[in-house]
Amino acid sequence: MRHKDDPNAGAVWFVGLLSLFLTLLIVVALQGIFFRMQDKEVYRKQLSGLSAEAAQLESSQLSRLQEYRVIDERSKRYAIPAQRAMDLIIEENASK
């Protein structure tokens, strides 16, 4: 027996299913937007290549890691290539 104050079961089901469908639709759309933006960023950062300025900066930094140079003459601080420094550390620890 239905009372005057009882909610309409059909309308409740309809609103519930519609809300579920819209929520799923929004989640899928947001995932699509996210993955599309992620692909664009991967392409921009990794696949599109370096600009001339970035390539020059990278080359400069790599050469600084591979050369001997004076950092401070007064305090007798010098830079040696990174690979040579690693070799010295290995030799020093091997003798201990």
Side-chain angles (χ1 to χ4, degrees):
M1 167 178 353
R2 184 166 188 257
H3 292 287
K4 189 165 115 178
D5 296 337
D6 286 345
N8 183 350
V12 170
W13 271 101
F14 176 75
V15 169
L17 290 175
L18 182 65
S19 299
L20 176 66
F21 175 74
L22 288 176
T23 301
L24 290 175
L25 183 67
I26 290 169
V27 167
V28 169
L30 288 175
Q31 280 185 325
I33 291 169
F34 171 78
F35 288 126
R36 187 177 37 206
M37 291 177 75
Q38 184 183 30
D39 288 343
K40 285 181 183 179
E41 282 298 305
V42 166
Y43 177 78
R44 185 180 68 84
K45 291 179 179 177
Q46 296 176 357
L47 303 175
S48 66
L50 295 174
S51 68
E53 183 179 324
Q56 182 182 8
L57 178 62
E58 181 182 22
S59 174
S60 169
Q61 290 173 342
L62 285 174
S63 68
R64 289 191 62 156
L65 287 174
Q66 299 171 353
E67 66 183 15
Y68 291 91
R69 66 184 189 285
V70 177
I71 294 177
D72 186 6
E73 186 73 41
R74 273 192 306 138
S75 64
K76 296 184 180 181
R77 290 183 50 195
Y78 303 95
I80 62 173
Q83 186 62 46
R84 178 70 179 134
M86 289 188 282
D87 293 341
L88 289 173
I89 295 294
I90 290 170
E91 289 174 18
E92 182 180 305
N93 288 328
S95 65
K96 288 184 180 180

